[in-house]
Amino acid sequence: MDLHGFHHITSDLKTTDIAMPVMFIGHGNPMNGISDNAFTKALASMGQTLKDKPRAILVISAHWLTKGTHVLVAPQPETIHDFGGFPEALYQVQYPAPGAPEVARETKNLITSTQVVEDEQWGLDHGAWTVLKHMYPLADIPVYQLSIDYHQPPEYHFKLAAELQALRRKGVLIMGSGNIVHNLRQIIFTDNAKPYDWAVSFDALVKEKLEKGAFQDLINYHTLGQAAQLSIPTNDHYLPMLYTLGLVNKNEQIAFTYEEIQNGSISMRCFQTV
């Protein structure tokens, strides 16, 4: 692997008139990292059909929660297996994509609403690599992550994301990775689990709000009734979607690239701008 070449790519991003799309991926169960199912096939298709190959990928994952905002500047991030109780084969998976330290520092400079901490210790958590393994199996695109300041309210994350808009015009694919519906307390660990009615209802409501561009309603999700409360018992997996929405331009539409409820209580809905 030519790390010098990757450094050249990541340190010389040119601004263009065409913005990369911004994505939200419902990543779900870590086992999707090694599964061959409808969801992972859809991920592969997303990578193949994207018009332009990204020069770098920024992931905002539900699994990097911090006090303050951190950005990953590691030149060769490790693959983090941040889960327990799964088959050994899952722990053997590596996603050896290079990092993007120069782009990460440019990201830090774009954010003026808060101080951003450079972090070399984090790697690529399963919100990133279980997705990218299917989208870009060659691991030849530089990848870095931005953490979620879990001490801040939803509106904060939506507004912070808007500060990253310039990255899209420099060939950076920005991806929020979480789940719209994510209730582990009521999860059913079978492949054919029947979705809970409240999970189906809230997932459909969010789809409707996305289609209408009613992003403020989604920021204020706590006003959306009992189905919202059951779907978002904690908002760690919901917040990555708000980063995606904060980067949607007024002239863009949202296209749904996958929809399913896995394990009864996990929405796998994915979408991107077009």
Side-chain angles (χ1 to χ4, degrees), residues 203-256:
D203 183 62
L205 177 62
V206 171
K207 179 181 181 180
E208 177 185 338
K209 298 291 186 184
L210 291 170
E211 290 174 329
K212 292 180 178 179
F215 296 167
Q216 197 63 45
D217 289 350
L218 296 175
I219 292 168
N220 298 323
Y221 66 87
H222 57 278
T223 67
L224 298 179
Q226 186 179 18
Q229 295 174 27
L230 288 166
S231 299
I232 314 170
T234 60
N235 67 4
D236 47 317
H237 277 68
Y238 187 84
L239 292 176
M241 183 182 72
L242 299 186
Y243 280 83
T244 299
L245 298 186
L247 283 156
V248 177
N249 292 318
K250 291 182 179 179
N251 62 339
E252 291 180 312
Q253 301 295 316
I254 285 176
F256 298 100

Side-chain angles (χ1 to χ4, degrees), residues 84-131:
F86 289 91
E88 181 61 27
L90 190 58
Y91 298 94
Q92 297 303 317
V93 176
Q94 296 293 312
Y95 190 76
E102 297 301 324
V103 188
R105 292 187 173 98
E106 183 172 350
T107 301
K108 172 185 175 180
N109 293 335
L110 286 172
I111 298 173
T112 59
S113 60
T114 188
Q115 183 177 1
V116 179
V117 177
E118 294 184 12
D119 191 305
E120 295 189 17
Q121 303 306 311
W122 197 252
L124 302 182
D125 62 52
H126 82 266
W129 67 261
T130 64
V131 171

Side-chain angles (χ1 to χ4, degrees), residues 166-235:
L167 294 173
R168 296 182 60 194
R169 297 189 300 275
K170 294 189 175 186
V172 178
L173 175 62
I174 304 177
M175 176 190 300
S177 179
N179 296 100
I180 292 169
V181 177
H182 187 265
N183 188 329
L184 295 184
R185 300 168 191 170
Q186 300 200 44
I187 196 167
I188 305 168
F189 282 109
T190 59
D191 292 338
N192 59 350
K194 183 180 184 297
Y196 293 102
D197 290 344
W198 49 263
V200 174
S201 174
F202 186 68
D203 183 62
L205 177 62
V206 171
K207 179 181 181 180
E208 177 185 338
K209 298 291 186 184
L210 291 170
E211 290 174 329
K212 292 180 178 179
F215 296 167
Q216 197 63 45
D217 289 350
L218 296 175
I219 292 168
N220 298 323
Y221 66 87
H222 57 278
T223 67
L224 298 179
Q226 186 179 18
Q229 295 174 27
L230 288 166
S231 299
I232 314 170
T234 60
N235 67 4

